[in-house]
Amino acid sequence: LLVVEAQVGLIGAVGASIASARVLGATQAYIGDATVGDPDAATVPVGGVRVEATSAAAPEARAYAGSGGLTLAGDGTRADAYVTPTVEAYYHSTGGPRAVGAGSESVNRIGGDLTILSNSTAEPDAVTLGIAVAGGVAVPVSLPTAIASPTVRAYVGSDSRVRVIGNGSSDPETATGRLTLGAAAVDDPRATGSGAAGAVGLAFEDSVSVATNQTTLDAYIGDGADVTANTDVIVQAEQQYVGLAKAWGLDFGVLSVGGNNATLTIEPSVQAHIGSATVTAGQDIEVVSESGEPGSLPELSFDTSTSVDYANNIITFDQPHGLESGDSVIYRAVDGSPIPGLEDGLTYDVIR
């Protein structure tokens, strides 16, 4: 969403520009209290089962404003980009068919693997720019906010019952019958606020940028569940995150006052667990929870003889770098011979 506002007044001009882009709602994939397969089948009623929910959201909010007046010029820009949906995949069946050969047990039997995955990518991007010029007082205010806080779950529900019997083989190389629960999230909230004020008298500029990641990620087997797998039971929650909060401003006047504040908050909750359940596995049981480091990026190394376009000042990397215009990088000449025009150890802004 893009909003542009301009105000010009003979004496004074005051305006505001507000943009809001939000991704809410829910994405769900599930098997409820259902009978899976044919209850009268003499063999396994159904083969492999895959339940997967995927959400990918990258809302952009852009707010730009400019004002000019002989005595007073003021404008406010606000941009909100939020990603806060619920994404979940689950199996929650307490019974199933009384398949021939299963005795008196009423339970769904799966003749392959049971895979339950929930995936979320949240990349909200909020950008604001305010410019004010006046003969007396100029005041631009810039307020971008980006929030990536989805709730992502993959689970076998409480009191559920399932037998992931696979092909029945006990050979580790050929056996099937694995239960996999995976909840994964990639989050990258970005907030960039900037402003410029010019006045003969007072120039006051204020930019406040806020980027927040508070993802809730959970993979689990619920209380009271009764689960059997021919091979492995894997319960895994994994999050990767990068974030950016940037605020800058310029002030020109007899009296210049600038206030620029940028706050990046990373507070995810990442859990993988097995509740008070009965879990039987022919091989391994793995419960893994992982969360990346803020600002983690791949190694940005390159070969100066093949990757640098000296005529156009362009460096091409062998893999995605995740950088955007305005990001800052520190240049290191690993071989001790810096690229002409660059100095080892200095910080440079990215232009993409």
Side-chain angles (χ1 to χ4, degrees), residues 275-312:
S276 299
T278 301
V279 179
T280 305
Q283 296 180 19
D284 298 329
I285 296 177
E286 299 180 12
V287 181
V288 181
S289 177
E290 298 178 337
S291 187
E293 297 182 358
S296 58
L297 290 171
E299 181 184 356
L300 301 182
S301 58
F302 57 92
D303 187 339
T304 56
S305 63
T306 58
S307 301
V308 181
D309 181 347
Y310 291 94
N312 297 300

Side-chain angles (χ1 to χ4, degrees), residues 29-72:
Y30 62 92
I31 295 176
D33 205 1
T35 296
V36 179
D38 182 358
D40 298 322
T43 58
V44 176
V46 69
V49 173
R50 184 182 183 90
V51 182
E52 184 170 6
T54 300
S55 172
E60 297 182 353
R62 304 282 189 267
Y64 306 133
S67 58
L70 289 179
T71 58
L72 170 66

Side-chain angles (χ1 to χ4, degrees), residues 149-212:
S149 297
T151 298
V152 187
R153 303 188 191 98
Y155 60 92
V156 171
S158 299
D159 300 318
S160 293
R161 306 176 72 239
V162 66
R163 303 289 179 259
V164 190
I165 63 178
N167 58 10
S169 171
S170 59
D171 184 345
E173 295 186 0
T174 60
T176 62
R178 173 182 289 108
L179 169 61
T180 301
L181 293 172
V186 177
D187 302 304
D188 186 10
R190 291 174 169 259
T192 305
S194 53
V200 176
L202 170 64
F204 176 80
E205 175 274 328
D206 188 25
S207 295
V208 179
S209 300
V210 177
T212 303

Side-chain angles (χ1 to χ4, degrees), residues 119-141:
N119 306 293
S120 170
T121 301
E123 299 176 315
D125 191 3
V127 177
T128 57
L129 170 63
I131 299 174
V133 180
V137 178
V139 182
V141 177

Side-chain angles (χ1 to χ4, degrees), residues 193-259:
S194 53
V200 176
L202 170 64
F204 176 80
E205 175 274 328
D206 188 25
S207 295
V208 179
S209 300
V210 177
T212 303
N213 172 224
Q214 293 178 322
T215 294
T216 299
L217 195 64
D218 202 359
Y220 65 93
I221 297 176
D223 293 342
D226 184 358
V227 175
T228 298
N230 184 48
T231 60
D232 304 318
V233 173
I234 299 173
V235 182
Q236 183 171 21
E238 180 180 6
Q239 188 209 24
Q240 298 178 356
Y241 53 83
V242 182
L244 171 71
K246 182 177 290 188
W248 65 273
L250 298 173
D251 307 285
F252 303 95
V254 174
L255 177 60
S256 298
V257 180

